[in-house]
Every structure is written in structure tokens, then in C-alpha cells.
Amino acid sequence: DAMVIQNPRYQVTQFGKPVTLSCSQTLNHNVMYWYQQKSSQAPKLLFHYYDKDFNNEADTPDNFQSRRPNTSFCFLDIRSPGLGDTAMYLCATSRDMGGEFNEQFFGPGTRLTVL
Amino acid sequence: GNSVTQMEGPVTLSEEAFLTINCTYTATGYPSLFWYVQYPGEGLQLLLKATKADDKGSNKGFEATYRKETTSFHLEKGSVQVSDSAVYFCALSTHQLIWGAGTKLIIKP
């Protein structure tokens, strides 16, 4: 089955220690997204890639970076995690953007805890 | 700007009760509308969608009708089960996906 996979499912890191979360997709979708979600609140978009074009949300901290080396993989790097970065991180994909093409397919999420 | 307003939760119902979760939106143009569901500890799943006025989306006994005249997309189910306990998000799509705040649903046996 075509899907979105995230690894690891759970990650514990220390304050200030860099961490990388990974996402892969078998849907061959053009767009990949990273969201941060706290306590069942609405997911907050951090950034997205349209193919190789990177789009950062204006309020995403500089501490958060992303890489998309190919169509299938996308990484979220947190350079110096703070306690406030404890959250669920969700990866999603969509075939395109705009209207019904924004139907997004989500991975199971990585629950990150910063100690 | 574009926005989505959902009824606040938690919503607590007994099994087999009728469910309505209200969702209204503000948007220019003709957005597509979605309902996503998030079960505990999981990612979001698309529950249903509608892409134009008067469309009805349906899935797993849930329904929602795209009402342009009232700018609404209310989620309904005739008889809820304990397994429907989850957080439900309404979202609209123009260029990007705009999310509602989510409504937590608790179904008691």
C-alpha cells in the first residue's frame, strides 16, 4: 500500500542536542510538509517542499531546518532543541497544491520529548 | 483572510447518540473542504471531503454537506460508537490548507 512513513515513532533527546526526524513516501507526491502539533491542537505548518522548492512559514524558528534529497525522502533537523519543542511532528504529502489537490496524506508522527 | 471555526470540545455523547460537530468557514473563491480525524497517538486521516457547493462527503457513517449559502460543513453521524472517540479537524483548502482548532469527541458506552 502507498503510504507515508515516519521514523522514529518516539524520540527522546537532551536540551540542545541536535535531532533529525525522517519521513518517506511511496505515493510519488510532489509536495511534502512538516507540521508541529501540541496536545491535540491544530497542526502548525513549519514548512513544505514543492518538488525541490523549499517554502518556510514566516513564524518557523530558525532552529528548524529541512532537507529533501529526493522525491521520496524529507528530513526535519532541529539544531538545538529546547523544552518547548516537545511535541508531535507530523509529515504529510499531497499530489499538488490548491483546492482539492491539497488533500494531504499523513504519516503516524514522531513524538519528540526534549529533556 | 481565510479561516475555519469549529465548535469547542470536548463533546461527550453516549453510544448510539446522534452527532453533529459544527464547522463554518470564511474564504474567498471556492475552497475545497475536508474533515480529518486523529485517533489517540496517531497521525491525521482524511475522513471525508467536498470540492464544490452542495457536494456531500461521506465515509464510515459520517457525512458533511458543503453549504455555500451558510459557509458551513457540519459533520454528522446518526449513531456513534465508542471507537469514534477521537479529535476531529475541519479544514479548507485554497492555496494552502487552513485548519480548524479541532473538536475532541468522547463516546461513553
Side-chain angles (χ1 to χ4, degrees), chain A residues 9-28:
Chain A
R9 292 292 308 275
Y10 302 90
Q11 176 77 57
V12 179
T13 192
Q14 292 181 341
F15 181 94
K17 185 174 181 181
V19 65
T20 294
L21 310 181
S22 77
C23 177
S24 63
Q25 55 131 341
T26 61
L27 296 159
N28 203 32

Side-chain angles (χ1 to χ4, degrees), chain B residues 20-64:
Chain B
T20 301
I21 300 179
N22 290 338
C23 171
T24 57
Y25 67 90
T26 302
T28 54
Y30 302 94
S32 292
L33 299 172
F34 303 91
W35 276 101
Y36 281 83
V37 58
Q38 187 174 32
Y39 299 102
E42 298 185 12
L44 282 78
Q45 303 173 25
L46 179 69
L47 182 59
L48 52 84
K49 65 179 181 182
T51 59
K52 61 183 187 295
D54 300 325
D55 266 3
K56 178 186 282 188
S58 61
N59 186 26
K60 299 181 181 180
F62 290 89
E63 293 184 340

Side-chain angles (χ1 to χ4, degrees), chain A residues 9-10 35 37 40-43 45 48 57 88 90 97-100 102-109 111, chain B residues 30-32 34 36 38 41-46 49 51 87 89 92-97 99-102:
Chain A
R9 292 292 308 275
Y10 302 90
Y35 288 92
Q37 187 184 33
S40 293
Q41 296 174 16
L45 183 63
H48 73 272
E57 293 300 299
M88 175 79 91
L90 297 166
M97 294 188 77
E100 63 184 293
N102 262 337
E103 178 181 340
Q104 294 185 14
F105 296 78
F106 283 81
R111 186 170 294 282
Chain B
Y30 302 94
S32 292
F34 303 91
Y36 281 83
Q38 187 174 32
E42 298 185 12
L44 282 78
Q45 303 173 25
L46 179 69
K49 65 179 181 182
T51 59
V87 180
F89 292 95
L92 74 82
S93 172
T94 52
H95 176 67
Q96 284 194 344
L97 210 55
W99 296 90

Side-chain angles (χ1 to χ4, degrees), chain A residues 28-67:
Chain A
N28 203 32
H29 282 173
N30 291 317
V31 194
M32 295 187 77
Y33 308 82
W34 278 105
Y35 288 92
Q36 180 191 67
Q37 187 184 33
K38 297 185 176 182
S39 301
S40 293
Q41 296 174 16
K44 178 180 181 303
L45 183 63
L46 297 173
F47 24 60
H48 73 272
Y49 272 94
Y50 190 105
D51 196 12
K52 296 180 181 178
D53 292 334
F54 178 70
N55 298 269
N56 199 30
E57 293 300 299
D59 57 353
T60 298
D62 292 341
N63 200 24
F64 290 82
Q65 304 284 317
S66 186
R67 297 170 282 135

